[in-house]
């Protein structure tokens, strides 16, 4: 009579060999993805320079073009967004206030194209229908989770529907937060360079252009905004409009303070270097305060990982040999 082999332990129906195979496949995929990312590195400045050149051409079109027909040739048309716009207009859901609000959020996230504003509004309308329809089909039609009750099904459907509607706004909010943090980090250095340029006798637009070139690699987001401000200062009829555009493109109170200072110096003729020097000192002090605040919160944040991961490991390492010795003595 042949003896039956002992049953092997499984995890969610997978044996140890299956789990090892999946982990090896995941590690191989991660290595290949890392190699692909290293091999396909692109220069981020190329995209920014292209966007700045497009903005320069738009400003030139508004100044030099004499007829509406010549201006229309310089405006890039996107057929996809045109279809979205016509579809939303036919449903009477496309409002100018929503488009302007979406454009401001896109500018703050670093996206210059105005066509994406229509795409954001279109996503708010379509994503709940598509994702909500698929969720309803899976929960009610195909009965993926038969043990769920009606309340749990409806709760899951409502949560997914709300997340689908808020998905474009959540993505833009995360992008705005990351970009604002990167700009806040380099703003004191930019103000110091502006002070040096102002004391050297450069004009405001030349100073912005110089600072953008110097900070382009260390702080690309801030250099991009300063370069665009320099272009608008050169082409716009009102310099105040260029500074206000900078404040609207960056969601930071510090940048609004700099813009207010710039507008006041342009209006009243007050010394620019002294005002910027005071602002730079304040921003550096604020950055140091934020660093000290993070350092003070670190012990409280490390409490949970210390209890869950570090202390059990220490107990196993320290008490493990003693436990083994005691178990061997009793045997």
């Amino acid at each position: 009579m042949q003896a039956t082999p002992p049953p092997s332990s499984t995890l969610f129906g997978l044996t140890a060999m299956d789990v090892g195979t999946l982990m090896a496949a995941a590690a191989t995929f991660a290595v290949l993805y890392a190699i692909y990312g290293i091999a396909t590195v692109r220069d981020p400045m190329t995209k920014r320079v292209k966007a700045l050149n497009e903005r320069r051409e738009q400003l030139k079109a508004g100044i030099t073009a004499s007829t509406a027909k010549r201006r229309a040739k310089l405006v890039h048309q996107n057929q996809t967004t045109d279809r979205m716009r016509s579809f939303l207009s036919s449903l009477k859901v496309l409002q100018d206030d929503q488009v302007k609000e979406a454009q401001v959020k896109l500018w703050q996230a670093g996206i210059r194209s105005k066509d994406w504003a229509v795409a954001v509004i279109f996503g708010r309308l379509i994503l709940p229908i598509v994702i909500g329809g698929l969720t309803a089909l899976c929960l009610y039609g195909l009965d993926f989770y038969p043990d769920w009750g009606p309340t749990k099904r409806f709760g899951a459907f409502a949560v997914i529907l709300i997340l689908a509607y808020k998905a474009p706004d959540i993505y833009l909010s995360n992008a705005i937060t990351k970009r604002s943090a990167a700009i806040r980090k380099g703003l004191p250095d930019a103000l110091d360079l502006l002070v040096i340029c102002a004391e050297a006798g450069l004009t405001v637009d030349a100073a912005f252009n110089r600072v953008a070139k110097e900070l382009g690699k260390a702080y690309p987001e801030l250099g991009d905004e300063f370069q665009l401000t320099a272009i608008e200062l050169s082409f716009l009829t009102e310099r105040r409009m260029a500074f206000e555009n900078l404040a609207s493109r960056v969601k930071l109170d510090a940048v609004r303070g700099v813009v207010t200072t710039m507008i006041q110096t342009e209006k009243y003729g007050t010394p620019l270097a002294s005002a910027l020097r005071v602002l730079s000192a304040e921003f550096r002090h604020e950055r140091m305060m934020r660093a000290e605040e993070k350092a003070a919160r670190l012990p409280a944040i490390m409490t949970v990982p210390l209890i869950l991961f570090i202390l059990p490991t220490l107990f196993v390492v320290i008490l493990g040999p003693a436990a083994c010795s005691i178990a061997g003595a009793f045997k």
Side-chain angles (χ1 to χ4, degrees), residues 204-205 233 239-240 243 260-270 272:
V204 177
D205 50 349
L233 285 171
R239 301 170 67 86
R240 181 189 181 94
F243 293 127
T260 303
T261 303
M262 288 289 185
I263 293 175
Q264 289 177 354
T265 54
E266 288 280 340
K267 184 177 181 180
Y268 300 108
T270 55
L272 178 61

Side-chain angles (χ1 to χ4, degrees), residues 1-328:
M1 182 176 179
Q2 188 177 1
T4 59
S8 59
S9 59
T10 60
L11 178 64
F12 297 107
L14 300 175
T15 62
M17 183 66 68
D18 297 335
V19 174
T21 304
L22 292 176
M23 294 179 64
T28 304
F29 177 76
V31 171
L32 292 177
Y33 181 77
I35 294 174
Y36 172 76
I38 295 173
T40 58
V41 172
R42 297 180 180 179
D43 187 8
M45 294 302 295
T46 304
K47 186 177 180 180
R48 296 188 180 96
V49 169
K50 182 179 178 182
L52 293 173
N53 289 331
E54 290 179 355
R55 178 59 177 167
R56 184 184 288 111
E57 293 298 328
Q58 291 177 1
L59 293 173
K60 286 182 180 180
I63 296 174
T64 60
S66 58
T67 61
K69 185 176 181 180
R70 290 178 60 188
R71 292 180 186 178
K73 292 180 180 179
L74 296 175
V75 178
H76 179 69
Q77 299 292 335
N78 194 330
Q79 296 181 357
T80 305
T81 54
D82 289 342
R83 294 193 187 98
M84 292 181 185
R85 186 180 289 106
S86 61
F87 176 73
L88 294 174
S89 299
S90 63
L91 295 178
K92 306 295 183 181
V93 295
L94 188 62
Q95 301 177 0
D96 294 337
D97 296 338
Q98 292 181 348
V99 175
K100 291 180 181 179
E101 183 183 356
Q103 287 178 359
V104 171
K105 288 184 178 181
L106 289 172
W107 290 341
Q108 293 173 353
I111 302 173
R112 307 297 183 196
S113 178
K114 295 182 179 180
D115 297 332
W116 284 99
V118 181
V120 170
I121 300 174
F122 184 78
R124 292 174 185 170
L125 177 65
I126 296 300
L127 285 178
I129 297 175
V130 175
I131 299 180
L134 292 175
T135 305
L137 178 63
C138 294
L139 292 178
Y140 295 101
L142 301 178
D143 198 11
F144 271 19
Y145 299 97
D147 54 338
W148 283 12
T151 305
K152 196 172 184 179
R153 289 174 186 267
F154 180 76
F157 175 74
V159 169
I160 292 176
L161 200 65
I162 295 173
L163 289 178
Y165 176 75
K166 291 292 184 179
D169 295 331
I170 293 173
Y171 173 78
L172 288 178
S173 299
N174 292 333
I176 291 170
T177 303
K178 292 180 181 178
R179 183 177 176 83
S180 300
I183 292 175
R184 183 191 294 112
K185 188 182 298 183
L187 191 58
D189 299 333
L191 291 182
D192 289 339
L193 290 177
L194 280 177
V195 170
I196 294 172
C197 294
E199 291 178 346
L202 294 179
T203 59
V204 177
D205 50 349
F208 270 89
N209 194 5
R210 181 65 180 177
V211 173
K213 290 181 180 179
E214 294 294 334
L215 296 179
K217 293 185 178 180
Y219 306 103
E221 294 84 3
L222 185 59
D224 187 14
E225 294 295 338
F226 273 33
Q227 184 67 43
L228 185 55
T229 303
I231 293 172
E232 291 182 346
L233 285 171
S234 302
F235 286 96
L236 291 178
T237 56
E238 296 183 5
R239 301 170 67 86
R240 181 189 181 94
M241 189 182 300
F243 293 127
E244 290 177 352
N245 290 340
L246 175 61
S248 64
R249 289 195 306 268
V250 181
K251 191 177 181 181
L252 278 179
D253 294 334
V255 175
R256 294 189 182 95
V258 174
V259 167
T260 303
T261 303
M262 288 289 185
I263 293 175
Q264 289 177 354
T265 54
E266 288 280 340
K267 184 177 181 180
Y268 300 108
T270 55
L272 178 61
S274 59
L276 291 179
R277 189 179 289 109
V278 173
L279 284 176
S280 176
E282 290 180 358
F283 294 157
R284 287 186 183 279
H285 180 68
E286 183 182 354
R287 185 169 64 180
M288 184 60 66
M289 293 294 291
R290 285 197 302 270
E292 292 177 356
E293 182 183 356
K294 289 183 179 179
R297 287 187 316 191
L298 188 60
I301 296 175
M302 287 296 295
T303 303
V304 176
L306 181 67
I307 296 174
L308 293 180
F309 303 106
I310 299 176
L311 290 181
T313 306
L314 289 177
F315 289 154
V316 170
V317 172
I318 295 172
L319 301 178
C324 293
S325 299
I326 293 172

